[in-house]
Amino acid sequence: MNFLLLGPLSVRLHAREVHVSAPRQRVVLAALLLNANRVISVDRIAEYVWDGAPPPSAAATVRTYVMRLRHSLGEHASARILTRAPGYLLELGEHESDLGQFTAHRRRAAELAGRGDLEGSSTELAEALALWREEPLADIPSRTLRDVEGRYLQELRLQTMELRFDAELALLRHAEVVPELVRLVRKYPLREALVGKLMLALFRSGRQSEALDLYRRTRVLLVEQLGAEPSADLREVQRHILSAHDRPRTPGPVEPPAKKAVAPAAPWNGHGRPRPAQLPSVAPKLSAHSGPLARLEHFLTTGALPAGTVATAVVTGRGGVGKSALALHAAHAVRECSVHGQLYADLGAGPRPLTARTVLPRFLADLGVPRGEIPGEESERESLYRSLTSGRRVLVVLDNAHSSTQIRPLIPGSGGSRLLVTSRRRLADLEGARTLLLPPLDEAGSLELLGSIVGPARVGAEPRAVRTVLTICAGLPLAIRIAGTRLLERPHWSIGDFARRLTEAPRLLDELCAGDLGVRPCLDADHAGLRRTAPDGVDPAEVFTALGAAEASSFSGSRVAVLVGCSEARAEEALDTLVEANLLGAPRAGRYWLDALLRAYAAEQAQAVALRQRGRPFMRAG
């Protein structure tokens, strides 16, 4: 079984080619293949099938398309398409698709290059490129899929070609690569990495005037079409040529170049550093977030800062409010401006936050440094990282940061790079950062999101029940998506039935789970990250527990002081800490407040404390 993606979509089963003729089934198959071994939601598939405008019946129709697709592929292949909330997953071995084989060749090429075997690396890259046939996804009738995934595949192909040219130039095969580079530069005249490699190949082939003329023509194009001067890398190639630092030479027919001679030309130490493209895919954007998204994009593309600084944006807000999705939408939107690549790390992944000590070696390897040459000392790693990113336009996205300490060593070198951070905390101590606080959705935005999942007709039929569900979800996109997913999976439920389950549940947060999604883990993370007060202060966690026991939705600082037996100033200090941790709503008219989700979580904490103390449990957590 082999799925072919790097060209017109086709499937080969036991030497027999299976053609999926139905256009929309081909869209579904392409979406599954491009997300192999990962769950892709029904919503995302519908966005691709109907080009961003799915009908109310989209979810049911997608299920029908998947059923027909399984039938078309036959028993063996169709068994790989698994139903996994909130959508589907296609199980696929690396060797079972040309894209998987392509990725494997690239990985082996990187390993060989890291060991200094540029010959082997070049061969692996050539084999990877040989898998491509015509334009990928050309026969897929989805503009949205081609824009999102097709561009990614084309970029992957170009990056692989550039890596092969780097290896070939390091092996002194400059004359051999000139014809192919000329053809590519004509096709992509503003891709400076290709221009730089062609300039170098021409110069080494004794064609210095042509190399310099190419630089002049490229500079004119960049200024006229983009209003920008050539990059620092391209200017460096020109300086090399003008100073004859990289003298033209051609290997003799008998003696191949010694390995020591090519070591200084390793890709990470020359002009053709790899361009990482690590941004994860993201769910369709919410129209309610259009304003914050526009502001974020504007800052990332036009932010002008003094020399020596890096434009830094921090998206903050409570867990589940959509910070990561907003940041990734902005990152994808400005990807063309980060011409030297995009680095991504989820600093909050796993049970413990990642540190720069863990992330920096990966970033350096992604930027082309052979793993054996990554410095052992942290200070040296940071210096090398800043050197590699200085004067370049790299976008670094750090998701789910816990503190500024995590971030500082990962700030790129100055000169055009951008840093985009998401965090539950405001990170006020991160110098020079522009902060964007993302609030929960308002009623209209919440209604739109739920309607996009379960369908406007179903929402319009029960407005009162919908209002109850959305009030409980407190404007959190995560909670609304979970509620919508549960309703979508249970078409026999009315929204009124679900609203009653939420209001009557002994433990509300047990009802807001779907697959691996849940509201409670977000609240657990906020609670675990509570900043403790000085020894003579009041523990904010104890205050939060007391609020859960009291079952109040709003209260003043003076009431909390009486509740926990402390001064009003100490109570206010603890309450401010809870606000900072997103476990309490900011005060309005002198009163703090807990929404339904926070109230349920606080009651759970109170009940847990009561059980540990062997006292009577507090009231139910609903």
Side-chain angles (χ1 to χ4, degrees):
M1 177 170 57
N2 197 11
F3 293 88
L4 305 180
L5 265 167
L6 305 180
L9 180 65
S10 64
V11 185
R12 291 177 183 166
L13 301 175
H14 309 295
R16 176 177 62 90
E17 185 158 321
V18 175
H19 180 61
V20 179
S21 58
R24 287 180 173 172
Q25 288 180 41
R26 286 208 307 278
V27 176
V28 174
L29 178 58
L32 291 169
L33 286 169
L34 290 163
N35 293 273
N37 302 310
R38 292 180 298 174
V39 175
I40 179 169
S41 69
V42 171
D43 288 348
R44 176 66 64 82
I45 295 173
E47 287 288 324
Y48 289 152
V49 171
W50 285 279
D51 265 328
S57 60
T61 308
V62 166
R63 286 194 286 271
T64 301
Y65 289 156
V66 171
M67 178 188 68
R68 292 174 180 171
L69 181 60
R70 284 169 168 157
H71 183 265
S72 300
L73 294 178
E75 181 179 355
H76 180 60
S78 66
R80 304 294 189 89
I81 302 176
L82 308 178
T83 302
R84 292 284 187 272
Y88 299 94
L89 176 146
L90 175 63
E91 285 187 335
L92 208 60
E94 191 174 60
H95 64 286
E96 293 181 310
S97 74
D98 52 4
L99 182 57
Q101 295 167 33
F102 173 83
T103 304
H105 282 303
R106 271 185 54 122
R107 185 178 62 251
R108 286 194 290 270
E111 292 168 355
L112 291 169
R115 296 200 294 265
D117 184 2
L118 295 180
E119 183 74 57
S121 178
S122 179
T123 300
E124 287 288 345
L125 292 169
E127 290 183 13
L129 292 165
L131 293 167
W132 288 74
R133 311 156 293 129
E134 305 175 32
E135 182 182 351
L137 308 181
D139 62 337
I140 303 299
S142 170
R143 177 181 50 79
T144 304
L145 185 65
R146 291 196 302 272
D147 285 348
V148 175
E149 302 290 359
R151 283 187 187 180
Y152 166 75
L153 292 176
Q154 291 290 13
E155 179 65 24
L156 199 61
R157 183 183 193 182
L158 282 169
Q159 287 186 19
T160 306
M161 296 172 104
E162 289 168 0
L163 289 172
R164 186 177 69 83
F165 290 135
D166 287 336
E168 293 292 287
L169 288 170
L171 291 166
L172 303 181
R173 296 171 182 161
H174 32 269
E176 290 92 329
V177 299
V178 166
E180 190 175 358
L181 277 168
V182 167
R183 179 177 60 81
L184 284 170
V185 168
R186 282 176 181 165
K187 187 174 182 180
Y188 304 101
L190 296 178
R191 196 168 180 98
E192 294 178 75
L194 289 174
V195 172
K197 297 178 204 312
L198 178 54
M199 286 173 61
L200 196 59
L202 289 169
F203 175 59
R204 289 183 178 179
S205 301
R207 300 160 67 175
Q208 180 174 349
S209 62
E210 292 179 58
L212 293 173
D213 183 59
L214 173 61
Y215 177 83
R216 284 190 292 270
R217 286 187 281 114
T218 302
R219 181 181 179 277
V220 170
L221 275 176
L222 287 167
V223 172
E224 287 181 348
Q225 297 190 25
L226 301 180
E229 289 288 336
S231 66
D233 281 352
L234 198 58
R235 294 197 303 270
E236 182 66 19
V237 176
Q238 183 210 26
R239 282 195 293 270
H240 271 64
I241 293 173
L242 288 172
S243 64
H245 178 74
D246 197 337
R247 295 184 178 279
R249 50 183 179 157
T250 304
V254 178
E255 295 185 9
K259 285 191 177 181
K260 285 185 179 179
V262 304
W268 73 275
N269 200 30
H271 313 297
R273 299 172 191 161
R275 275 193 205 84
Q278 300 177 350
L279 298 179
S281 59
V282 63
K285 62 185 175 185
L286 302 174
S287 60
H289 286 167
S290 297
L293 180 60
R295 292 195 294 275
L296 194 55
E297 289 178 26
H298 177 75
F299 174 72
L300 291 173
T301 53
T302 62
L305 293 173
T309 58
V310 174
T312 301
V314 176
V315 181
T316 186
R318 62 187 290 188
V321 80
K323 301 180 298 296
S324 298
L326 181 75
L328 286 174
H329 276 299
H332 280 287
V334 304
R335 190 169 52 180
E336 297 301 321
C337 299
S338 54
V339 296
H340 296 115
Q342 307 89 38
L343 294 167
Y344 173 86
D346 186 347
L347 301 181
R352 293 184 179 179
L354 295 182
T355 64
R357 184 183 182 90
T358 302
V359 177
L360 258 182
R362 176 166 72 78
F363 276 7
L364 290 173
D366 295 336
L367 290 167
V369 182
R371 293 205 176 262
E373 298 180 31
I374 294 175
E377 291 290 330
E378 287 188 61
S379 60
E380 293 180 11
R381 289 177 183 172
E382 292 176 27
S383 297
L384 179 56
Y385 172 67
R386 288 193 294 271
S387 297
L388 289 176
T389 53
S390 178
R392 295 162 70 82
R393 284 184 283 171
V394 177
L395 175 63
V396 180
V397 181
L398 303 177
D399 205 5
N400 292 313
H402 288 241
S403 69
S404 298
T405 305
Q406 280 179 298
I407 298 166
R408 288 192 183 97
L410 300 172
I411 298 175
S414 60
S417 291
R418 298 288 189 264
L419 175 63
L420 179 53
V421 180
T422 72
S423 176
R424 288 180 166 90
R425 300 188 176 277
R426 287 169 175 77
L427 304 180
D429 57 338
L430 189 61
E431 301 82 0
R434 179 81 61 85
T435 300
L436 189 154
L437 175 61
L438 189 62
L441 298 176
D442 59 16
E443 185 177 352
S446 300
L447 192 62
E448 178 189 2
L449 177 55
L450 184 63
S452 71
I453 300 171
V454 304
R458 195 171 175 188
V459 166
E462 299 180 78
R464 182 174 296 180
V466 166
R467 191 175 297 111
T468 299
V469 171
L470 294 181
T471 299
I472 291 172
C473 289
L476 286 189
L478 173 64
I480 297 169
R481 289 186 189 279
I482 291 171
T485 299
R486 294 204 66 191
L487 287 167
L488 193 64
E489 290 174 339
R490 297 163 178 81
H492 57 284
W493 279 8
S494 69
I495 299 180
D497 292 335
F498 185 51
R500 280 189 294 276
R501 289 181 68 94
L502 294 179
T503 53
E504 297 173 4
R507 291 169 65 86
L508 166 63
L509 300 181
D510 288 344
E511 295 293 326
L512 289 173
C513 295
D516 59 350
L517 296 178
V519 173
R520 185 181 284 109
C522 287
L523 296 169
D524 283 339
D526 290 334
H527 193 266
L530 268 177
R531 178 172 55 82
R532 305 301 174 184
T533 59
D536 60 340
V538 179
D539 186 350
E542 291 182 8
V543 173
F544 188 68
T545 300
L547 297 177
E551 294 189 323
S553 58
S554 70
F555 34 81
S556 63
S558 57
R559 183 186 174 192
V560 173
V562 172
L563 196 63
V564 299
C566 68
S567 68
E568 189 170 340
R570 295 295 189 194
E572 292 281 0
E573 182 182 354
L575 291 170
D576 286 342
T577 300
L578 290 172
V579 172
E580 181 187 354
N582 298 302
L583 289 169
L584 196 61
R588 295 194 297 253
R591 297 185 68 82
Y592 297 84
W593 54 276
L594 289 168
D595 61 38
L597 299 177
L598 291 172
R599 201 159 58 248
Y601 187 71
E604 284 188 10
Q605 297 301 309
Q607 189 173 33
V609 169
L611 289 173
R612 284 198 299 271
Q613 295 174 348
R614 298 180 181 277
R616 293 185 63 184
F618 292 116
M619 299 294 288
R620 65 180 178 84

